[in-house]
Amino acid sequence: MENNEDNYLMLSGIQHFRFCQRQWALIHIEQQWAENVKTIEGQHIHEKADQPFIREKRHNKLIVRAMQVRSHELKTTGICDVVEFIEDEQGIELINEEGKYIPVPVEYKRGKPKAGQEDIVQLVAQAMCLEEMFVCDVPKAYLFYDEIKRRVEVEITNELRDEVRFIFKQMYNYYDRRHTPKVKPGKHCKSCSLENLCLPTLIDSTPVRQYMERFL
Amino acid sequence: MRKLLNTLFVTTPNSYLALKGETIVVTAGEDHLGQVPLHNLEAICTFGYMGASPKLMHACAERNISLTFLSTSGKFLARVVGESKGNVVLRKTQYRLSDSTNESAKIARNFIFAKVANQKWILERMTRDYPMRIDVPAFKKISATLSEYLQEILMVQDLEILRGLEGQAANHYFRCFDQMILQQKDDFFFKTRNRRPPTDNINALLSLAYTLLAKDVSAALENVGLDAYVGYLHRDRPGRASLALDVMEELRGVIADRFVLKLINKKIITGKDFFAKENGAVLLTDEGREKFINAWRERKQEPLTHPYLKEKINWGLVPHAQAMLLARHLRGDLEEYPPFLWK
Ligand code: SF4
């Protein structure tokens, strides 16, 4: 049970959880949005099936797309859009490759950098998976935003690693209890794709009993 | 709130539906009847049943388009339901509460409360709009009786008692029904509710309206991840969409009854739109059904402000709103289920 990867939480969920715990629960516990998440995962898997470990080699880089990753510590599995293996003296050896490399995850995002940390924690979780799988340090990673057409470097600090551990612990706590947190409405609801399901504004409406008694 | 997309009604008997690219193609024998893109459809509803291709069913299930088969007379036959949305947690809660008669009664009470409250306001509304046409004191008296039932319903903890109160309230309400028919009295008169088969014009219209409503409610429930077949007021019976019937209770009067009365009072449907079969069953002619469906479709586009959500929506979205609110109650976000109360 413990190490059965089928039961691991989806890595991409950490961005939902960081954005809004309820959104995460609606998607990952209640599967209210399952098909969308699956579609995204499906595309990744498709890509992967199409080009299993096709690696582009460019100068000092080895580029691997749609790479499946996991961490037994975090108990999560997911897919990295792109992992670049950069040649580096400080790096590690890879089977069938000359030289030493450091893995660097790159996550592609629609839009522009967000005010919240949801993209960052997802990237850090990916980095932690790579650290565990390759037994090495992953000191930095990138987020690529298509609106600004630029990469943003993220340093993988110990604070961020601790935060990711903490978030996964919370996620497992909710998951084991199948608990969907109550609404905490806020600005973020405006950009939430589940707003119609969640109905965040209902929170301040009248108690149902009172509403019914008005019709007596 | 979600968008109301179109419902495609296929009324030519013996039509066959197939998928072609991203469109649905309707044929009858050699005739090509039409072709519609799937992407702006929310539901497909066919009368008279040659069938549909499995490929089309697949496409509908995948895109959450409800596909329903009715007989030519509008009797419900079957509905295509895709792989259920994986919402196991919500469904288990739904089943668990349904297993407890106590918990069931609490939810059922709110359906029935709204049903009776809405019947009451239909009567009240009539006395206000047509004081010269109807027997106002009689209506007022029945409305007052319904108010007493409402008080009682709020206290009830028992399903049997609840069903009893509901039946009595319905008797009172239907006693007024004939008076609410203000036009074409020779062709339309209401004595009692009869169904299998309907043996007068009014009952034929009511039956069709209830079937269309049931289909919409079922689709809305499945859409939010609930199981339309496991109910609270209506207990499980194989093949019966009990939860859809539950939610329908509160909508029958305000949506279906009022719609039927309007068809008659505005002379949209007339006596010529019916024919009687040898066995006494009364059916709508093809033309009559066409008129009925067009009016039903228009009705769905009319706006209202949802009494609980306080949001502007179309009548067509009311079943969705109620399905969402019910899911929300089952998830524990709302202490009680807020039924649809119309005034
Ligand atoms: S609508 Fe708001 S509270 Fe609800 S899931 Fe989305 S972000 Fe969270």
Side-chain angles (χ1 to χ4, degrees), chain A residues 22 26 29-32 35 182-183 196-199 202 205-209 211-212 214-216, chain B residues 1 85-87 89 109-110 113 150 307-308 324-325 328 331-333 335-339 341 343:
Chain A
R22 182 173 167 87
L26 290 176
I29 297 183
E30 301 200 13
Q31 282 135 26
Q32 292 280 346
E35 62 277 25
K182 293 246 152 80
V183 179
N196 287 339
L197 260 164
C198 168
L199 302 176
L202 256 191
S205 50
T206 23
V208 175
R209 197 32 82 102
Y211 156 76
M212 287 167 69
R214 281 208 312 262
F215 285 80
L216 275 176
Chain B
M1 186 56 95
K85 274 205 175 181
N87 201 346
V89 183
R109 179 180 61 202
N110 290 10
F113 180 88
L150 285 174
Y308 188 78
M324 255 172 6
L325 288 169
R328 183 117 183 198
R331 279 209 301 264
D333 295 331
E335 75 288 5
E336 275 187 75
Y337 163 68
L341 289 162
K343 209 163 187 171

Side-chain angles (χ1 to χ4, degrees), chain B residues 25-273:
Chain B
V25 182
V26 184
T27 51
E30 301 288 291
D31 299 337
H32 178 96
L33 297 179
Q35 186 165 357
V36 188
L38 279 182
H39 73 260
N40 47 23
L41 286 183
E42 173 163 275
I44 301 166
C45 178
T46 91
F47 292 80
Y49 35 91
M50 195 57 184
S53 74
K55 220 166 156 187
L56 175 73
M57 296 184 190
H58 183 141
C60 288
E62 230 175 37
R63 290 169 185 70
N64 248 324
I65 300 171
S66 85
L67 174 55
T68 313
F69 298 94
L70 308 178
S71 75
T72 20
S73 59
K75 193 171 162 296
F76 176 84
L77 274 163
R79 192 160 57 89
V80 173
V81 185
E83 191 186 353
S84 70
K85 274 205 175 181
N87 201 346
V88 187
V89 183
L90 184 62
R91 283 187 182 223
K92 277 187 101 169
T93 314
Q94 180 191 349
Y95 299 154
R96 201 166 47 239
L97 295 184
S98 168
D99 279 340
S100 147
T101 47
N102 220 350
E103 294 299 321
S104 292
K106 281 192 206 153
I107 301 174
R109 179 180 61 202
N110 290 10
F111 297 136
I112 294 307
F113 180 88
K115 176 180 187 169
V116 177
N118 289 339
Q119 287 173 337
K120 173 185 152 82
W121 286 107
I122 290 171
L123 301 185
E124 287 285 341
R125 194 70 170 244
M126 287 305 277
T127 62
R128 222 176 55 205
D129 292 348
Y130 307 103
M132 315 302 272
R133 294 289 316 269
I134 59 165
D135 184 351
V136 174
F139 271 51
K140 285 281 180 198
K141 201 164 155 236
I142 290 186
S143 163
T145 311
L146 295 184
S147 286
E148 284 164 26
Y149 285 132
L150 285 174
Q151 299 276 8
E152 271 184 73
I153 288 166
L154 273 187
M155 310 290 167
V156 170
Q157 306 272 4
D158 180 291
L159 282 172
E160 275 319 308
I161 298 176
L162 201 56
R163 289 195 188 101
L165 287 171
E166 187 249 327
Q168 290 170 37
N171 278 340
H172 281 88
Y173 162 77
F174 276 115
R175 224 179 279 157
C176 300
F177 208 79
D178 192 55
Q179 268 208 56
M180 295 196 269
I181 301 164
L182 304 172
Q183 290 284 352
Q184 316 185 69
K185 288 292 235 189
D186 289 341
D187 290 318
F188 297 96
F189 39 81
F190 182 86
K191 291 205 183 67
T192 55
R193 190 61 198 115
N194 56 58
R195 298 177 281 167
R196 281 178 201 159
T199 53
D200 58 59
N201 294 352
I202 290 268
N203 274 295
L205 292 177
L206 285 174
S207 288
L208 182 53
Y210 292 155
T211 311
L212 293 184
L213 184 58
K215 156 191 98 58
D216 286 351
V217 174
S218 287
L221 291 168
E222 301 275 349
N223 235 311
V224 300
L226 290 167
D227 185 337
Y229 289 82
V230 175
Y232 298 104
L233 181 72
H234 294 84
R235 309 310 290 172
D236 302 351
R237 186 194 290 170
R240 177 166 82 174
S242 297
L243 188 62
L245 293 178
D246 283 0
V247 174
M248 242 183 91
E249 290 297 352
E250 61 190 70
L251 304 179
R252 273 175 204 271
V254 271
I255 296 186
D257 298 357
R258 284 175 65 233
F259 173 75
V260 165
L261 287 169
K262 188 176 136 192
L263 288 182
I264 300 165
N265 289 341
K266 296 215 157 169
K267 297 188 180 164
I268 297 166
I269 296 264
T270 67
K272 291 198 201 74
D273 293 315

Side-chain angles (χ1 to χ4, degrees), chain A residues 19-20 22-23 26 183-186 188-189 192 194-195 198 200:
Chain A
F19 175 76
C20 168
R22 182 173 167 87
Q23 191 200 58
L26 290 176
V183 179
K184 283 200 202 108
H188 57 318
C189 299
C192 173
L194 297 189
E195 203 185 346
C198 168

